[in-house]
Structures are given as structure tokens and as C-alpha cells.
């Protein structure tokens, strides 16, 4: 029988309800006295995650998600929660197998298909203890051991068929290990240097071969570390942006709002309460539900005091306790700064007076081709918005010879976007870095140069080099943009590409001052939209200096 269909708006078929009941009936709450066990009770947040993680296809009844990422601050309860999921994967009916006579999803246990192997993975043995120790308590304190015939030892749990065990990146037997489920803890610390990248790749491939799944439980990662958590978040963003056709990835990341002020106690408490959600012990409960839920276990007042301790690094506190993805050591802008300056509610309308910024590329002999970006900025309020960003997809199409087809910027689409911008808005200025686009910039100057009220130079009204002997002008333009964004003088539309490129930009010191660049020349993390935004902002400043903005103010009666 097919799925019964949604009983309320947005409902999807899921085994999550069954898994929730199974956990509460069979597992003990870790951290309790062994003589006074209590059933494991997932929070509302955790229940919401389970419903999504165990979603099944409404036609086939098979599991939809094969790769999850649950990102919360330290102390939220990620490790015990994922330990409960590991025990469910080992024993419960979690393999989607259709629908019952009432149209409800049903499952069967892994041992009915193959020998279930469940792995608790980390890069060090101490790190595996985060999940392994509460898992042992859950198994020993609840009824699961007796009811499912588990032999619970300190270093392994034997199932009647299969086992649950910890594993680290130093293990030599992970390749080919047929684990139906794996937990990957603290993947913000998993890098190529400590074997974490290789371990994660191996665990994903192992799960894929038999239709299994895994869950990462990182804290906020540091951009530029190229950790497993960072690459997983990037893979999910590529799906959202339409740059990847991958499916089955669930990312549940929540962080304190970007405007959280570390120097203001009320703002800090509210930020912590939001980040910790249902685990917040604030008397008013968490701030995610209406009415608020009951207080949890995370000591918000105690955590607040950590921010007053001058021996702590603010960036570490933002990542560990506010769960904010901040910035690399040499980042030009932090992600909270970029997010705080976004204003998704501002609408740029046809006919608005704007300026444009452009940075382009063509192709590379190796690595990922740089992006091409066209960014606008409204004169009246300095709102920066994205008109087009063209980026190489994560996976290139394969040609008849079986080799990936080389990707190039779709020049016709770019030219059409520029033409449409001039047709839609009142464009009074256009600055473009002509590198590799010299002929097209020359065509734009011929077509639009005479109508531009602000011009880069008399002979070349659009050409504005971001390289070469103009380093002093470049440094000043970058400094003005940086100050405007941090001080709230400009807003932007929060587009994924613009935010990513701004956060990807790295500080580079030159003789003339601070410039920006990619993390390294062949980095796949591009900054072209950031460069185009800087050019658009500089064009706006030059327009204001010429009095062009004042002309618009008179036209609209001083309404801005």
C-alpha cells in the first residue's frame, strides 16, 4: 500500500516517530545514577532532526537521507544524541521497507539484510569517548541489552550478529569496512594532516556501498582549514545553489545571530539561548518555541562568564559557545560581519539609480576556473545586490571519451546580463576589471560609455584595473568597502555567492597596504563576487563625490 498522504501541511513520511518511541522505551538517560536509571528523552530539537533524518520516499518507502550534519555548540548534547541513534541503527527497524496496511512507513532491522557494523569514528581515541562513553551508559542502563541480546564490553558491543565499536583515523582496516552507520564526531577538527579527511571519505564510501548512513556532529568550523565539516557544509550549499546534483544530505546548523554583541550581556545571553536552544537552562526556557520550552541543562549564566575572562580568545568563544562560523586567521571579513550586514528585505526596483561592478575570468589550465560576477549597488542607500555570478559546478559533465568536459564562463549569458542591467535600471556608473575581458569591456565602453555620468577615466569610462600599478587606489577601495560593511554603511542582499566570496577573501600585505586574494592561487574558494562588490561600492562613492546622488535626491524630493 502507498503512503497515506500528508495529514497536515508539509508532512513527509518518516520512520522518525518509530525511532523516537524506540529510544525512549529501550535506552537509559546517560549521566544518571546506575541505581536510578531514567529513560532517554530526546528534546524537541532532537526529535525534529530525527523526523528529517529518517524521512522515507513516499513511493518506495526507502530512506531519503544518507548523510547528516548536526552542528551545535559545545555541551548541547550532540554526542549522547548520536549515541542513541547508533544503538537504534544497530538494533531497531530503521531500514525503510515500504508501508503497512494503513499507509504508515515501516522498516526492518539491518540484521535482516546483512551483518550490522556500527562505528563511532573520530581522529583520536579520546575523541571517540565523547560518544562511546554515553553510548555504554545508555546500553547498560536501559532494556536494550537484555531485549536485543547485546554483550556490552568497555571496548566493543557485540550484537547477536555484528558489533558496535569505536574507530580512529589511525586504523588500517577502515577501507572496505562495511559499516551500515557511522558517527563522525567533531569534524571541524578533521583535516588532511590528522587523517580525518581520508577517514571521512572512506566512511562515506563504505556506507554508500550498502545503502547505509552517517552523521557528523561538529562545532562551528574555521573557514580555510578545509576540515571535513567545512567541505560538508560547502557540499550542502552547492546543492542549495543548484551547483550540485547530489542528494540525500541533511545539514542542521544553528548559531547565534550575527548581531550578537559580545560586550553586551543581554545580547550575549540571548545569543547563547538561541544557539543552545532546548538545552538552555535559562528560567524562561529556550527561545525557539512559543510558548518557550522547559529549561534544559546548559548553564547559560556560567557560559556568559567565559566571555568576561580575558584569557579566552573571542574567536574561540564564538565558535565553541555561539557556534558561529567566524573566519580564518587571515580572513578579510568574518562571517558574522558579513551576515550582520545583509538585508534580505530590501528590494531593488526597475528604474532605480544604480552603479555596477564586474570581475571576470575565462578558464584555467588547472584547478577550478575563477568565477565571473556582476554586482550592482543602489546610489540612494548603498544596497549591494547580485545580478549574476557564474561559477564552475562542483562536478563537471562527462564527455563521450569519459573525461570531464572543460568548463568555461558562459560569455553570452554574461553579456546578456550586462545588457539587461542597463535596460532595467538607471545605470550611472560601471567599473569593470578588464583582465581577460579586455575586448568585451571595450565593447561596453563603446555601447554605454557616453551615458555613464561617473567614469573611471576620460578615455576608458568602465575599465578599472584591480591589478598592476594601481595598488594605492586598490588598497583605498578595499579599505573603504571594508569600513562601510563593518560599520553598517552598506547592506547587501545576502546571496549565497556574494557571502561566500566575501568570506573567502584573505588579507594580503603589499607595499601600498592591505589587499585581498584567494587562500592560495589554485584554491577552489573564489572571491570574484567580492571584487565586483568592491568595484561597485567605489563607483558609488565616486558618483556621490560628483554630486550625482544629490541630483537623485532632488528628483525624489529628498526621500532617502
Amino acid at each position: 500500500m502507498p503512503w497515506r498522504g500528508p495529514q497536515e501541511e508539509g508532512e513527509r513520511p518518516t520512520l522518525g516517530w518509530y525511532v523516537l518511541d524506540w529510544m525512549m522505551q529501550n535506552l537509559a538517560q546517560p549521566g544518571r545514577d546506575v541505581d536510578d536509571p531514567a529513560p532517554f528523552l530526546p528534546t524537541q530539537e532532537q526529535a525534529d532532526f530525527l523526523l528529517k533524518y529518517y524521512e522515507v520516499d513516499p513511493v518506495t518507502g526507502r530512506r531519503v537521507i544518507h548523510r547528516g550534519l548536526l552542528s551545535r555548540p559545545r555541551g548541547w548534547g550532540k554526542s549522547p544524541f548520536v549515541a542513541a541513534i547508533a544503538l537504534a541503527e544497530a538494533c531497531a527497524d530503521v531500514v525503510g521497507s515500504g508501508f503497512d496496511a494503513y499507509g504508515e512507513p515501516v522498516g526492518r532491522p539491518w540484521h535482516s539484510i546483512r551483518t550490522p557494523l556500527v562505528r563511532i569514528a573520530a581522529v583520536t581515541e579520546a575523541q571517540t569517548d565523547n560518544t562511546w562513553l554515553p553510548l555504554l551508559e545508555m546500553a547498560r542502563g536501559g532494556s536494550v541489552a537484555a531485549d536485543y541480546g547485546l554483550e556490552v564490553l568497555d571496548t566493543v558491543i557485540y550484537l547477536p550478529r555484528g558489533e558496535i565499536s569505536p574507530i580512529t583515523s589511525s586504523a588500517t582496516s577502515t577501507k572496505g569496512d562495511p559499516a551500515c552507520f557511522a558517527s563522525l564526531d567533531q569534524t571541524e577538527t578533521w583535516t588532511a594532516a590528522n587523517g580525518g579527511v581520508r577517514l571521512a571519505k572512506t566512511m562515506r564510501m563504505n556506507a554508500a556501498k550498502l545503502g547505509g548512513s552517517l552523521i557528523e556532529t561538529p562545532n562551528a568550523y574555521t573557514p580555510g582549514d578545509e576540515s571535513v565539516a567545512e567541505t560538508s557544509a560547502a557540499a550542502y550549499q552547492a546543492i542549495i545553489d543548484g551547483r550540485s546534483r547530489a542528494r540525500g544530505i541533511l545539514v542542521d546548523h544553528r548559531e547565534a545571530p550575527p548581531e550578537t554583541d559580545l560586550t553586551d550581556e543581554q545580547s550575549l545571553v540571548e545569543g547563547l539561548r538561541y544557539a543552545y536552544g532546548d538545552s538552555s537552562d535559562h528560567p524562561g526556557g529556550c527561545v525557539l518555541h512559543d510558548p518557550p520550552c522547559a529549561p534544559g541543562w546548559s548553564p547559560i549564566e556560567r557560559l556568559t562568564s567565559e566571555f568576561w575572562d580575558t584569557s579566552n580568545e573571542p574567536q574561540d568563544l564564538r565558535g565553541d559557545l555561539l557556534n558561529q562560523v567566524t573566519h580564518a586567521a587571515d580572513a578579510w571579513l568574518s562571517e558574522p560581519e558579513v551576515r550582520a550586514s545583509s538585508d534580505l528585505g530590501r528590494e531593488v526596483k526597475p528604474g532605480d539609480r544604480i552603479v555596477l561592478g564586474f570581475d571576470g575570468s575565462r578558464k584555467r589550465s588547472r584547478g577550478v576556473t575563477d568565477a565571473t560576477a556582476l554586482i550592482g549597488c543602489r546610489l540612494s542607500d548603498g544596497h549591494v545586490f547580485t545580478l549574476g555570478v557564474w561559477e564552475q559546478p562542483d562536478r563537471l559533465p562527462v564527455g563521450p571519451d569519459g573525461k570531464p568536459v572543460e568548463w568555461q564562463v558562459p560569455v553570452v549569458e554574461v553579456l546578456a546580463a550586462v545588457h539587461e542591467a542597463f535596460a532595467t535600471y538607471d545605470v550611472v556608473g560601471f567599473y569593470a576589471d578588464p583582465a581577460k575581458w579586455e575586448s568585451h569591456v571595450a565593447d561596453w565602453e563603446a555601447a554605454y560609455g557616453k551615458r555613464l555620468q561617473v567614469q573611471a577615466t576620460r578615455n576608458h569610462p568602465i575599465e578599472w584595473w584591480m591589478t598592476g600599478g594601481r595598488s594605492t587606489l586598490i588598497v583605498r577601495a578595499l579599505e573603504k568597502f571594508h569600513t562601510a560593511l563593518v560599520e553598517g554603511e552598506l547592506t547587501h542582499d545576502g546571496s549565497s555567492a556574494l557571502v561566500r566570496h566575501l568570506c573567502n577573501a584573505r588579507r594580503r600585505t603589499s607595499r601600498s597596504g592591505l589587499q585581498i586574494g584567494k587562500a592560495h592561487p589554485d584554491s577552489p574558494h573564489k572571491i570574484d563576487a567580492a571584487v565586483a562588490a568592491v568595484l561597485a561600492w567605489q563607483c558609488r562613492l565616486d558618483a556621490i563625490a560628483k554630486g550625482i546622488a544629490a541630483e537623485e535626491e532632488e528628483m525624489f524630493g529628498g526621500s532617502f
Side-chain angles (χ1 to χ4, degrees):
M1 180 176 180
W3 181 46
R4 56 171 169 73
Q7 302 299 301
E8 57 185 51
E9 186 177 356
E11 183 186 10
R12 300 285 295 173
T14 177
L15 291 169
W17 296 112
Y18 159 77
V19 174
L20 280 167
D21 289 341
W22 187 92
M23 288 178 175
M24 292 185 286
Q25 293 171 8
N26 292 280
L27 306 181
Q29 184 73 37
R32 295 288 294 265
D33 191 324
V34 293
D35 297 324
D36 183 29
F40 175 69
L41 297 176
T43 66
Q44 181 64 53
E45 280 183 87
Q46 293 169 348
D48 291 342
F49 180 84
L50 285 176
L51 295 180
K52 296 174 184 176
Y53 188 69
Y54 284 99
E55 181 184 332
V56 299
D57 186 278
V59 176
T60 66
R62 295 176 181 173
R63 294 262 298 272
V64 172
I65 302 300
H66 59 80
R67 181 178 173 188
L69 187 149
L70 178 63
S71 174
R72 291 294 190 277
R74 295 190 186 280
W76 178 85
K78 300 187 299 295
S79 296
F81 178 49
V82 118
I85 296 175
L87 285 164
E89 289 284 335
C91 303
D93 299 344
V94 297
V95 181
S97 58
F99 303 92
D100 64 16
Y102 301 98
E104 297 289 349
V106 294
R108 55 178 172 165
W110 273 107
H111 67 72
S112 68
I113 306 171
R114 63 180 72 250
T115 301
L117 299 179
V118 173
R119 302 304 188 200
I120 308 302
V123 292
T124 66
E125 290 186 12
Q127 205 176 67
T128 62
D129 287 346
N130 294 336
T131 302
W132 182 248
L133 295 181
L135 188 151
L136 292 178
E137 289 188 62
M138 289 176 160
R140 288 167 172 162
S143 63
V144 65
D147 291 349
Y148 288 85
L150 310 187
E151 184 180 359
V152 184
L153 306 179
D154 287 345
T155 57
V156 64
I157 296 178
Y158 290 112
L159 312 174
R161 181 185 178 191
E163 67 178 39
I164 310 172
S165 62
I167 191 170
T168 69
S169 58
S170 61
T172 58
S173 59
T174 56
K175 190 171 184 179
D177 182 47
C180 63
F181 175 79
S183 74
L184 284 59
D185 194 29
Q186 293 185 314
T187 52
E188 80 280 4
T189 67
W190 291 33
T191 63
N194 58 28
V197 171
R198 183 185 70 249
L199 177 60
K201 181 179 179 180
T202 301
M203 301 302 284
R204 286 196 294 267
M205 292 300 296
N206 291 344
K209 287 186 293 186
L210 49 86
S213 64
L214 51 81
I215 296 178
E216 296 179 40
T217 52
N219 295 107
Y221 60 84
T222 299
D225 283 356
E226 298 188 357
S227 65
V228 169
E230 182 179 10
T231 55
S232 294
Y236 182 68
Q237 188 62 56
I239 295 173
I240 295 175
D241 295 346
R243 294 178 289 112
S244 171
R245 292 184 292 176
R247 292 176 293 179
I249 300 179
L250 169 64
V251 172
D252 188 339
H253 167 82
R254 193 175 65 252
E255 60 185 65
E259 62 270 16
T260 300
D261 186 349
L262 272 58
T263 64
D264 181 272
E265 185 169 5
Q266 181 178 352
S267 175
L268 183 56
V269 167
E270 288 300 311
L272 287 167
R273 288 179 65 194
Y274 183 81
Y276 277 89
D278 289 354
S279 75
S280 165
D281 75 343
H282 196 277
C286 77
V287 295
L288 300 176
H289 311 299
D290 185 18
C293 65
W297 58 86
S298 297
I300 299 301
E301 183 176 348
R302 175 66 182 84
L303 296 174
T304 303
S305 68
E306 291 298 309
F307 289 83
W308 315 141
D309 187 341
T310 56
S311 64
N312 291 327
E313 288 289 336
Q315 184 175 342
D316 293 339
L317 294 170
R318 283 190 180 273
D320 291 345
L321 303 184
L322 295 174
N323 206 39
Q324 289 180 329
V325 178
T326 55
H327 57 282
D330 60 346
W332 185 47
L333 290 161
S334 72
E335 184 153 337
E337 288 172 334
V338 175
R339 297 284 185 191
S341 62
S342 66
D343 188 342
L344 279 62
R346 297 203 185 192
E347 180 184 359
V348 182
K349 300 178 181 179
D352 282 356
R353 181 167 288 189
I354 70 167
V355 294
L356 301 174
F358 175 85
D359 186 49
S361 67
R362 287 299 182 89
K363 62 180 181 179
R364 295 176 64 88
S365 58
R366 63 177 183 177
V368 178
T369 298
D370 286 343
T372 290
L374 179 66
I375 303 294
C377 180
R378 184 162 51 194
L379 253 64
S380 62
D381 58 1
H383 184 62
V384 175
F385 60 101
T386 305
L387 288 164
V389 177
W390 296 266
E391 300 179 278
Q392 178 175 316
D394 287 354
R395 291 189 178 182
L396 296 174
V398 177
D401 58 356
K403 297 180 180 180
V405 177
E406 183 181 56
W407 184 84
Q408 297 186 35
V409 175
V411 175
V412 173
E413 289 184 22
V414 178
L415 298 179
V418 172
H419 175 76
E420 184 177 357
F422 275 91
T424 304
Y425 305 102
D426 180 13
V427 181
V428 299
F430 183 13
Y431 287 173
D433 183 355
K436 300 181 181 179
W437 282 73
E438 289 89 342
S439 63
H440 294 295
V441 171
D443 290 340
W444 293 335
E445 289 180 335
Y448 307 115
K450 292 182 179 180
R451 63 180 281 186
L452 298 177
Q453 298 178 50
V454 56
Q455 301 183 351
T457 64
R458 179 176 299 178
N459 294 329
H460 294 287
I462 295 177
E463 185 179 288
W464 210 101
W465 286 93
M466 287 293 288
T467 56
R470 297 164 51 88
S471 57
T472 300
L473 293 175
I474 296 168
V475 167
R476 289 176 180 172
L478 291 166
E479 182 180 358
K480 291 171 185 175
F481 181 92
H482 186 281
T483 300
L485 185 144
V486 173
E487 297 297 328
E489 297 174 20
L490 71 77
T491 59
H492 60 85
D493 61 2
S495 73
S496 169
L498 180 57
V499 169
R500 279 188 289 106
H501 288 211
L502 287 170
C503 294
N504 288 342
R506 299 290 183 261
R507 299 193 305 270
R508 296 291 178 259
T509 303
S510 69
R511 291 181 180 179
S512 302
L514 199 64
Q515 298 195 34
I516 61 172
K518 293 181 294 186
H520 55 82
D522 294 325
S523 174
H525 306 300
K526 306 305 179 182
I527 66 170
D528 305 270
V531 173
V534 170
L535 287 171
W537 184 254
Q538 181 61 49
C539 192
R540 175 181 184 262
L541 295 180
D542 291 346
I544 293 173
K546 292 190 66 173
I548 297 172
E551 293 174 12
E552 186 183 50
E553 182 174 8
E554 293 175 4
M555 183 184 303
F556 291 98
S559 60
F560 67 96

